Amino acid sequence: MQCPKCNYLLKKRKVNIEGARQKVLSFQCSNPDCIYFTFEEESSKKVVAELKAKDMQLKIKQKIVKLSKGRLGTYFNANIVRSIDLKPGEDIYVSVPDKNRIILSREKKRN
């Protein structure tokens, strides 16, 4: 196979994906000045299925900050905001299932 950008030969490489035991087959351009690469569809699907089965979640350490009058809060990291498309002014619901977990949820958007 040839690179669609520069017509150099694409080399096969097995790539480790964080959190997955299986490797993904990648096709990478052999031209050192070209950064083109792509993944083989079948091995990609297997790794995605493996990661979904593990219930891989975005997990980011956050600090609790003091707001005022005994109130506490936290800021949402930009990666969290982007991953769920959170917008200012949206309502969220807070659930406390036990002393170690807080669950934030929102209603699904209606089209």
Side-chain angles (χ1 to χ4, degrees):
M1 276 180 23
Q2 289 188 321
C3 175
K5 291 190 175 193
C6 69
N7 290 325
Y8 271 64
L9 184 65
L10 291 178
K11 293 184 179 180
K12 288 184 184 181
R13 302 255 193 264
K14 288 194 175 184
V15 179
N16 290 318
I17 303 296
E18 186 174 343
R21 292 180 2 161
Q22 301 181 59
K23 292 185 176 186
V24 176
L25 183 59
S26 172
F27 297 98
Q28 301 174 4
C29 185
S30 58
N31 178 354
D33 296 324
C34 181
I35 59 170
Y36 177 82
F37 69 93
T38 189
F39 295 108
E40 184 268 331
E41 187 176 354
E42 192 61 36
S43 62
S44 299
K45 285 181 180 179
K46 287 179 182 177
V47 168
V48 168
E50 179 186 343
L51 293 173
K52 282 184 178 180
K54 287 183 175 184
D55 193 28
M56 296 291 290
Q57 302 173 7
L58 177 61
K59 190 174 187 179
I60 297 173
K61 185 177 179 178
Q62 297 279 158
K63 289 281 187 195
I64 300 296
V65 296
K66 184 176 181 180
L67 297 173
S68 65
K69 297 183 182 181
R71 296 183 318 149
L72 301 176
T74 188
Y75 293 98
F76 291 111
N77 178 289
N79 295 313
I80 293 170
V81 171
R82 188 173 34 255
S83 71
I84 63 172
D85 194 28
L86 194 59
K87 302 288 186 220
E90 282 189 68
D91 290 329
I92 60 170
Y93 299 90
V94 180
S95 303
V96 183
D98 58 49
K99 288 189 172 196
N100 293 316
R101 294 184 298 154
I102 298 172
I103 299 172
L104 303 175
S105 59
R106 64 181 181 177
E107 288 185 16
K108 290 189 178 193
K109 295 178 183 175
R110 296 180 186 167
N111 292 335

